[in-house]
Amino acid sequence: MKASVKNVFDKRKASLNSVATISILLSAVALSGCGSSSSSDANDTTTPAPAAEGTAEYVSDNNELKGDFEENVTLVAGNTYKIAGEVNFREGTTLTIPAGTTLYGLTQSSYLAINAGATIDADGTESDPIIFTSAADVAGTSSRDAQGEWGGLTIIGKAPIIGGTVTYEAGDQVGGGSDAADNSGTLDYVIIKHTGFEVEEDKELNGLSLLAVGSGTTISNVAVLGGADDGIELWGGTVNLENVYVYNAGDDSIDTDLGYTGTVTNAVVRQKVVDKTNYDSSGIENGNDSDSYTSVGGTAGVGSEANQATMPTFKNVTVESVGGAIYLKNDAGARFDNVRVTVKPSAVNGQDDTAGQAIVTHRTTDTVD
């Protein structure tokens, strides 16, 4: 038996030696080659195709968000990323932005949209906030009060809104539904600067646009600084905002429409822009954009509070305004709990209201069925 095993081993060893010899000979042939062609073959490398837009690989390779994303993306803390054109995160995706990260719009029309069913996890800290800003600001050529240098941040959810579902006024994204507790993610310690772009007349991008965003979404410690249109606009939805600062909005600092019923707590707005009608640019504006009372979900109704479409609560809010402070349209209402208003009279030509008259403007000219 031992001799038999040894014979098998010796035969296997001989076989392996033969394979090794053949391998060495083949290597020698390859190295000797046939002139210059072998050298070319040895140095031939194929350049990999660039990553496709709308993928995590593209973001990693280019430090740029571009296109429509159908997959999750996690940014790197401390890095700076471009927002190129209209960027969408589609349903089922999550954009994760760690503390200390900066994102900036390449052009005036560049903006970031978190679509219905997608989420954003932008979790900054007091010492390392997340910053959304403009290319000019990153380049150091912007000013403190600059407006309209890029689009802004848009979040769309599936919470109730007048009409059931609504198309975003500045794009083709659709939001709305029946889930009042819908969760679109988190914004915490976020600064949004120098926003606002008019896509077409009466269709503008705001600093922070919230369409049908549900109460499962967390929005806190957010500053919106300088915007060519509204600082924050909410169309429908139930999301609550806490610890908010809006400075130098070109239109309204906080604008609520189409059945928004959430609560804004601990907010300071400083409205610097005024106009001759006193109220079109206000610290707070509430309306439905329909000149009619309509309940959330689309059923018409008049008189009862439950059927009054837009009914936000403002708690612990300070409004400092030149011109109009609070503008209530006849198709909306509001609850005020510890709201302090300071108004300076407007110097705009044609502005006749005194500071006292400008505290609250209640529009009473709507046609209501």
Side-chain angles (χ1 to χ4, degrees):
M1 291 292 293
K2 290 183 179 179
S4 176
V5 171
K6 184 176 185 302
N7 289 338
V8 170
F9 178 79
D10 289 342
K11 288 179 181 180
R12 178 169 176 78
K13 184 177 179 182
S15 174
L16 289 173
N17 288 337
S18 298
V19 170
T21 302
I22 293 171
S23 298
I24 293 170
L25 289 173
L26 289 174
S27 298
V29 171
L31 289 172
S32 62
C34 299
S36 60
S37 61
S38 64
S39 175
S40 174
D41 291 342
N43 294 325
D44 183 26
T45 58
T46 302
T47 302
E53 296 172 6
T55 64
E57 185 181 1
Y58 179 90
V59 175
S60 179
D61 290 348
N62 299 279
N63 278 357
E64 178 177 277
L65 301 176
K66 188 175 184 179
D68 292 345
F69 288 82
E70 303 285 353
E71 62 186 42
N72 298 339
V73 172
T74 298
L75 305 184
V76 178
N79 280 10
T80 298
Y81 294 87
K82 300 181 283 290
I83 299 172
E86 178 186 303
V87 176
N88 287 285
F89 277 80
R90 298 298 187 184
E91 184 167 8
T93 64
T94 297
L95 171 62
T96 302
I97 308 174
T101 305
T102 297
L103 301 91
Y104 68 92
L106 275 177
T107 64
Q108 284 184 302
S109 59
S110 297
Y111 73 102
L112 173 62
I114 307 301
N115 284 238
T119 57
I120 181 171
D121 182 8
D123 199 1
T125 65
E126 185 175 1
S127 58
D128 282 311
I130 293 165
I131 298 174
F132 291 88
T133 190
S134 64
D137 187 37
V138 170
T141 59
S142 188
S143 65
R144 176 189 175 190
D145 289 352
Q147 301 174 338
E149 293 182 341
W150 72 291
L153 173 61
T154 297
I155 302 177
I156 300 170
K158 296 183 177 182
I161 189 170
I162 294 299
T165 57
V166 172
T167 300
Y168 178 45
E169 71 172 29
D172 60 3
Q173 302 89 346
V174 176
S178 59
D179 186 1
D182 186 41
N183 184 358
S184 294
T186 298
L187 296 181
D188 191 23
Y189 286 104
V190 170
I191 299 172
I192 304 170
K193 305 165 68 176
H194 312 315
T195 60
F197 177 74
E198 187 176 57
V199 177
E200 58 184 82
E201 187 176 359
D202 295 328
K203 294 185 177 181
E204 301 94 359
L205 294 163
N206 307 289
L208 177 59
S209 298
L210 302 170
L211 175 67
V213 177
S215 61
T217 308
T218 299
I219 298 180
S220 57
N221 303 308
V222 173
V224 182
L225 312 176
D229 195 56
D230 296 328
I232 300 174
E233 184 161 9
L234 302 104
W235 295 270
T238 54
V239 64
N240 301 311
L241 281 63
E242 184 175 10
N243 301 340
V244 173
Y245 178 62
V246 182
Y247 168 80
N248 191 34
D251 191 12
D252 305 305
S253 292
I254 300 176
D255 189 350
T256 66
D257 300 290
L258 296 182
Y260 172 65
T261 57
T263 299
V264 179
T265 304
N266 298 339
V268 174
V269 300
R270 290 181 172 159
Q271 185 76 27
K272 295 181 62 178
V273 176
V274 297
D275 55 52
K276 66 181 181 181
T277 57
N278 190 39
Y279 51 79
D280 278 349
S281 297
S282 300
I284 295 173
E285 178 178 302
N286 297 331
N288 282 339
D289 294 341
S290 62
D291 291 345
S292 64
Y293 291 104
T294 310
S295 67
V296 172
T299 304
V302 178
S304 71
E305 188 176 275
N307 286 332
Q308 192 162 351
T310 301
M311 181 62 79
T313 297
F314 295 94
K315 184 177 182 180
N316 303 334
V317 175
T318 297
V319 178
E320 298 177 3
S321 181
V322 177
I326 299 173
Y327 179 28
L328 303 176
K329 297 181 180 179
N330 213 25
D331 54 6
R335 297 181 179 90
F336 296 100
D337 180 358
N338 191 31
V339 175
R340 178 180 181 272
V341 177
T342 302
V343 182
K344 295 179 181 179
S346 170
V348 172
N349 187 30
Q351 174 58 264
D352 298 324
D353 288 355
T354 65
Q357 290 170 324
I359 291 175
V360 178
T361 299
H362 181 203
R363 193 167 87 188
T364 58
T365 57
D366 296 341
T367 300
V368 180
D369 293 334

